[in-house]
C-alpha cells in the first residue's frame, strides 16, 4: 500500500473488537513510531502500552468517559520529557515535545491503518488522573492517548469520513492574502 492509501484509510475508530493484536503486527506499528522524526533527533518520549482491563477502565474515567477506549486491546499513552526536548526551536515554538509526540502518534496511526487496525487520538483527558493511574512522574508530560485495535465497524458512518477543506481553501501561493482562497 502506498502512503496516500494508508492516509486515506485512516480514520478515528470509536468501536473495537475484542481481538488480540499479533506480536509482529504490533512490532511493525511500534517500529513506525520509533522511526518518527523529532527535533534535533532528541527522541524525548516514551509510549506506555496499557493492556490491563482495570487500568483501561480507569483511563476511560480520566478521559471524559469515552468508553470505546477500553474496548481496544491496547491503549497507547504518549509521554514526553520536556527537559530532554529541543529547547530553542525558534519561531512561535519554544520546546519541541508536543510536536515530537504528535509526529510519533501520526506515524503510529498510519502504520496501524496500513495493518488494518484502528486508532483515535484522545486529547480530552485529565492529565493528573492519567499520571496517577500509570505512575507517571511529575516531570513527564502526557501528550495524548489512543486506543489500538481492530475496528468493530459499528461507529463508521459512510460519507462522514474524510470531510476536509479543498486544497484551494488551504493553500496560498507565494504570499499570504486575505480571502484569496476559493471554494
Ligand atoms: C489533538 C486531537 C485531539 C482529539 N481528541 C479526541 C477525543 O478526545 N475524542 C475523540 O473521539 N476524538 C478526538 N480526536 C479525533 C478528531 O475528532 C478526528 O481526528 C477528526 O474529527 C477527523 O476525523 P478522522 O480522524 O476520522 O479523519 C482528536 C484529534 C486530535 C488531532
Amino acid at each position: 500500500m502506498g502512503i496516500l492509501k494508508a492516509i486515506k484509510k485512516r480514520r478515528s475508530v470509536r468501536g473495537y473488537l475484542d481481538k488480540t493484536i499479533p506480536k509482529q503486527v504490533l512490532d511493525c506499528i511500534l517500529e513506525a513510531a520509533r522511526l518518527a522524526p523529532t527535533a534535533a533527533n532528541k527522541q524525548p518520549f516514551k509510549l506506555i502500552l496499557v493492556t490491563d482491563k482495570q487500568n483501561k477502565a480507569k483511563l476511560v474515567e480520566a478521559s471524559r468517559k469515552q468508553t470505546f477506549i477500553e474496548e481496544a486491546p491496547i491503549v497507547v499513552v504518549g509521554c514526553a520529557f520536556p527537559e530532554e526536548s529541543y529547547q530553542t526551536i525558534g519561531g512561535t515554538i519554544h520546546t519541541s515535545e508536543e510536536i515530537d509526540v504528535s509526529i510519533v502518534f501520526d506515524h503510529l496511526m498510519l502504520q496501524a491503518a496500513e495493518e488494518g487496525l484502528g486508532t483515535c487520538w484522545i486529547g480530552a483527558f485529565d492529565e493528573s488522573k492519567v499520571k496517577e493511574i500509570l505512575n507517571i512522574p511529575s516531570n513527564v508530560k502526557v501528550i495524548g492517548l489512543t486506543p489500538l485495535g481492530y475496528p468493530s465497524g459499528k461507529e463508521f458512518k459512510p460519507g462522514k469520513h474524510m470531510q476536509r477543506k479543498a486544497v484551494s481553501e488551504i493553500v496560498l501561493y507565494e504570499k499570504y492574502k486575505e480571502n484569496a482562497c476559493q471554494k
Side-chain angles (χ1 to χ4, degrees), residues 3-124:
I3 187 71
L4 189 58
K5 273 194 175 167
I7 288 169
K8 287 184 172 176
K9 192 175 167 195
R10 189 217 57 81
R11 61 187 170 83
S12 291
V13 171
R14 300 186 179 91
Y16 292 88
L17 299 175
D18 183 12
K19 182 178 166 188
T20 305
I21 302 169
K23 186 182 178 309
Q24 67 274 22
V25 172
L26 181 60
D27 285 348
C28 277
I29 292 167
L30 297 178
E31 179 69 352
R34 186 180 77 86
L35 295 175
T38 54
N41 200 25
K42 287 185 175 283
Q43 304 165 67
F45 73 94
K46 287 204 191 295
L47 301 174
I48 304 178
L49 306 188
V50 182
T51 60
D52 179 82
K53 279 189 165 47
Q54 285 185 344
N55 282 341
K56 286 192 294 176
K58 287 179 189 170
L59 289 176
V60 166
E61 290 303 312
S63 308
R64 296 199 197 153
K65 297 190 176 16
Q66 299 188 75
T67 50
F68 62 87
I69 295 171
E70 65 181 322
E71 292 174 10
I74 297 175
V75 179
V76 184
V77 180
C79 300
F81 304 97
E83 292 153 18
E84 289 179 23
S85 73
Y86 194 66
Q87 301 293 311
T88 50
I89 297 184
T92 55
I93 312 292
H94 300 295
T95 59
S96 67
E97 69 273 2
E98 291 181 10
I99 295 172
D100 291 335
V101 176
S102 298
I103 298 170
V104 169
F105 256 37
D106 201 43
H107 271 52
L108 179 148
M109 289 173 166
L110 290 176
Q111 186 61 33
E114 165 85 10
E115 300 284 348
L117 273 79
T119 55
C120 181
W121 191 304
I122 303 296

